[in-house]
Each structure stands twice: as structure tokens, then as C-alpha cells.
Amino acid sequence: MPLLNKLAPGTSGAPGGDTATRSLTRLRTALTLFFALDGFLFAGWVVRIPAIKQQTGASTGDLGLALLGVSAGAVVTMTLTGRLCRRFGSHPVTVASAVLLSLSITLPALTHSAGTLGLVLLVFGTAYGGINVAMNSAAVDLVAALRRPVMPTFHAAFSLGGMLGAGLGGLVAGGLSPAAHLAGLTLAGLALTAAAGPVLLRSPSPAAPEAVGVQKPAPGRPDGRSRRLVTVFGVIALCTAYGEGALADWGALHLEQDLHAHPGLAAAGYSLFALAMTAGRLSGTALLERLGQTRTLVAGGATAAAGMLLGALAPTVWLALAGFAVTGLGLANIFPVAVARAGAVAGAGGVAAASTLGYGGMLIGPPTIGFLADWSSLPVALTTVAVLAAGAALIGYAVRNAPVPQPAGQAVPAARNVRTGQHVRTEPAARV
């Protein structure tokens, strides 16, 4: 497949190519800003959770129950957003979700009971689920059109936005009320949406150029064996996303409540975690080329498990922060590897199914941690992140030789997953 890594006609050098290239570049920049905005706003909320907990007078269990509002809103929206994207396009849905996310983030600071908090978090979760599905759908289309491995840069932008949001939250946590802080985030979100949104609204979803000599997969549903493999890879994604969600919502509270860290330093815990994930994702392509998918997955799971045990059980703030950083490095590339493997088994349907399971892990993690903390303690509850990360590594190793059922007429990618845009180490065609 000689043309897989080359730009098709319509890119620079062909008639109209320069204009098309500039258009795709602007679209990529705007979409990257929305990924960063998503991480920025989400982190801005999570670092104020300790203050919101105190404001509402909620117990740890009540807070965990209220956080289910985010999960419920996101899950319902994720099942509907795909249809909305097919009807209206992923670009308008991304912009509309960004507006709703920006407006809804100010609502938790206006609540004074756990029940009301849960209701407003239902709205926040609706927006969060919608923008994640829509912007990832837009990113998949853009990656296919560019035929370049740019997908990791979008996820790195999300992590970078989270780091900046958490860092800003840490700076203002001691001197600015949650209401003022979250209202400022609303203004920032609306301003960025107003600046970047028109680019998406004016740009139709780019069509992927056809590669010479590559046939489209035959239509039809994957067989039972393929669906089981996709489920396994989805579970791996779930196990690791569980840790990301748990640290986002409970990391700052653990540092402040259990280790008596200053609110600003506690907020910096998630910022450090997000920085480590950003670094890991930016180096993910090189790591995959060097180690291959299975070794990257297993090493990442083991690293995250060790880091989270340190982060949860360390007796000092600084050791816990070091554990958070190690956890971020370990978790950074497991989700993309799991989704890429699911795609190798069942194409786009496999990617969608594994991604949905993965996001489910991010959403069920925080309330699960809350219930376990009520039953035992928050440090003990956080050790479940290590258990699931180790489980992901074991599952990944166990299915290292799983066959890849190729749909009839589908060529095997030589060195790059076209759907994910990631360069991966070439492995035998019969194995993942």
C-alpha cells in the first residue's frame, strides 16, 4: 500500500491543494482548541470539589451519589450524540455542546445541598458527554482526511487543558470563591467557543481520500468472536479510564483531607497528573514504534499500578504527588492502544464500542470511589485504581496472541492505523 502515508490529490501541490491544506490546518487548530477547552473546564470543576463539598455540607457518600449526575447525564447523551452527529454533523454538535458545557460549569457553585448538586451535575454531564463524542467523531474524520498521525495531539491538548485548568484552580483556590472562579471559566469557555466555533461551523466534515489499492471492508456485523474481543479491549480501556476519572474527582480531596495539604497544593495534584499524561501522550508514537502495542500496554498498566499505590498510601504530600505523576505516565497510552486493537478486530464499530466502554470507566470511577470511601476510607478506595490498572496489563498480556479477524476485502494496514492516525509497530497479520 504505497500511498498510505502520502497525501491524496487535493493537498498541497495539486490544483486547489494549498487552499485545501490551509482549510484542514485551520480546522485542526480549531478542533485542538475544543479538546483543550474540554480538559480546561473539566479540571476547573474538579479542583473546586472540596470547596463545593464543604459548601453543600455533603458527606463523602452523598458527594459520590451527587457525582452520579455527571455519569448519568453523560451516558444518556453518549447514546444520542452519535445520531445527532449523523443528522446535523459533528461540527455543529461540538460547538453546541461547548456552549452548554461553558454555561453549566457555573451551576455547582450555586447549590447548597447534595440533591441540588446532583441535579445540576446531570446538566454538566450531558454537555460533557456530548462534546466528547462529537469532537472525537470530528477528529476521526480529520485524521482520515489528513492521513497523518495527529490523533495523539488532540488527546494531548485535552491533557494540557486539564493541566492548565487545574493549575489556575490551584492559584485561585485560596483567594477566590468557587462561584467567582467557575463564573470566570464560563466566560472563558464562551469566548473561546465564539472564536473557534465559526471555523467548525463553516467547515463540513472532511472526506477521507481513498488509498489506491485499498478496498473498503465488506459490510456486515462482526461475528461473535470479534465482538467478544472488542469487549475485552473495551474493558481494558474502562480499567484505565476509571483511574483518570477517580483522580480527577478525588485526588485533590485526598491530598487536602487525608494529607492536610494546602488547597492550592492539593489542586496541583491533578495538574501534575495531567502534565504527566500530556508528556506520555506526546511521546506515545515513539513508544509504540519502539515497544509495540502489547509491551506498551503491559508496561503502562504496571507503571500506573505502582504509581497509584504510592499516591494512595504515601504518608506525605510530596510522595503522593510523585505517585500521581507516575500514574499519569502509566495511563497515558493504554486507552489509545486498546481502542486501536478494537479497531483492528472490528473496524470503526470496534473503535466506537471500546471508546464507549472506556468513557464509562471514567464516569463510574468517581461515584464508586465515593461509596468505597464511605465504607472504608478514601486512601483504601483509591487503591482500586491500582488494582484495575494491573488488571488491564494482565488482560492485555493474556490476549497478546488473539487473532485479528479481517473483514472480507479489507487490506491489513502496513504500519499505521488509518482510523486512529497512530503509527504502530508492525505485527504479524494474524495477531494483534
Side-chain angles (χ1 to χ4, degrees):
M1 295 185 294
L3 297 183
L4 265 180
N5 294 323
K6 294 183 180 179
L7 295 175
T11 57
S12 183
D18 290 338
T19 301
T21 300
R22 287 195 297 269
S23 177
L24 291 178
T25 299
R26 287 194 298 270
L27 180 57
R28 178 184 174 185
T29 300
L31 196 54
T32 299
L33 289 175
F34 278 106
F35 271 85
L37 176 65
D38 187 32
F40 180 77
L41 294 179
F42 185 73
W45 145 245
V46 300
V47 300
R48 300 316 297 252
I49 287 178
I52 299 297
K53 177 179 181 292
Q54 183 178 8
Q55 175 180 302
T56 58
S59 67
T60 304
D62 289 338
L63 179 61
L65 190 61
L67 291 173
L68 277 174
V70 179
S71 304
V75 167
V76 171
T77 306
M78 285 179 178
T79 61
L80 299 175
T81 303
R83 298 177 186 177
L84 293 175
C85 289
R86 286 192 295 271
R87 181 171 181 179
F88 301 106
S90 57
H91 294 177
V93 177
T94 297
V95 175
S97 298
V99 171
L100 181 59
L101 186 68
S102 300
L103 293 173
S104 64
I105 196 173
T106 194
L107 298 178
L110 306 179
T111 62
H112 296 281
S113 69
T116 307
L117 178 63
L119 291 176
V120 301
L121 289 181
L122 185 66
V123 180
F124 181 77
T126 297
Y128 183 73
I131 193 172
N132 273 279
V133 172
M135 69 185 183
N136 273 289
S137 298
V140 167
D141 292 338
L142 181 57
V143 167
L146 288 172
R147 293 202 177 280
R148 295 178 59 201
V150 300
M151 183 64 80
T153 65
F154 293 126
H155 292 278
F158 174 86
S159 297
L160 181 60
M163 181 190 69
L164 294 175
L168 176 63
L171 290 175
V172 304
L176 202 61
S177 69
H181 176 202
L182 297 183
L185 294 184
T186 293
L187 294 176
L190 293 175
L192 189 145
T193 302
V199 177
L200 265 64
L201 295 176
R202 289 195 300 263
S203 305
S205 295
E210 297 296 331
V212 176
V214 179
Q215 293 178 307
K216 292 183 178 180
R221 294 174 59 84
D223 58 25
R225 188 178 193 181
S226 297
R227 289 196 295 269
R228 287 192 294 272
L229 281 173
V230 167
T231 301
V232 169
F233 296 134
V235 169
I236 293 174
L238 183 151
C239 288
T240 56
Y242 173 98
E244 187 172 353
L247 273 173
D249 280 7
W250 294 104
L253 187 62
H254 167 57
L255 294 173
E256 185 175 340
Q257 173 182 285
D258 300 314
L259 299 178
H260 311 293
H262 183 274
L265 185 59
Y270 182 72
S271 181
L272 186 61
F273 171 77
L275 174 62
M277 286 202 75
T278 302
R281 284 171 172 170
L282 288 175
S283 61
T285 298
L287 192 65
L288 285 167
E289 289 175 339
R290 186 174 185 85
L291 298 181
Q293 291 182 333
T294 297
R295 290 179 181 176
T296 299
L297 193 158
V298 173
T303 300
M308 197 59 237
L309 285 177
L310 178 62
L313 304 178
T316 67
V317 173
W318 296 108
L319 282 176
L321 289 173
F324 284 7
V326 173
T327 303
L329 285 174
L331 294 180
N333 294 300
I334 301 180
F335 189 103
V337 169
V339 171
R341 284 189 159 195
V345 172
V351 172
S355 297
T356 301
L357 279 171
Y359 279 120
M362 185 179 293
L363 297 171
I364 68 172
T368 301
I369 294 292
F371 294 138
L372 291 175
D374 242 13
W375 176 71
S376 178
S377 68
L378 185 53
V380 170
L382 286 172
T383 61
T384 59
V385 174
V387 172
L388 291 183
L394 291 174
I395 296 171
Y397 183 76
V399 297
R400 66 193 182 281
N401 294 326
V404 180
Q406 294 293 334
Q410 182 178 11
V412 179
R416 177 156 64 90
N417 185 305
V418 177
R419 276 290 181 189
T420 62
Q422 293 180 352
H423 286 283
V424 295
R425 186 176 181 176
T426 304
E427 303 196 11
R431 299 176 185 273
V432 292

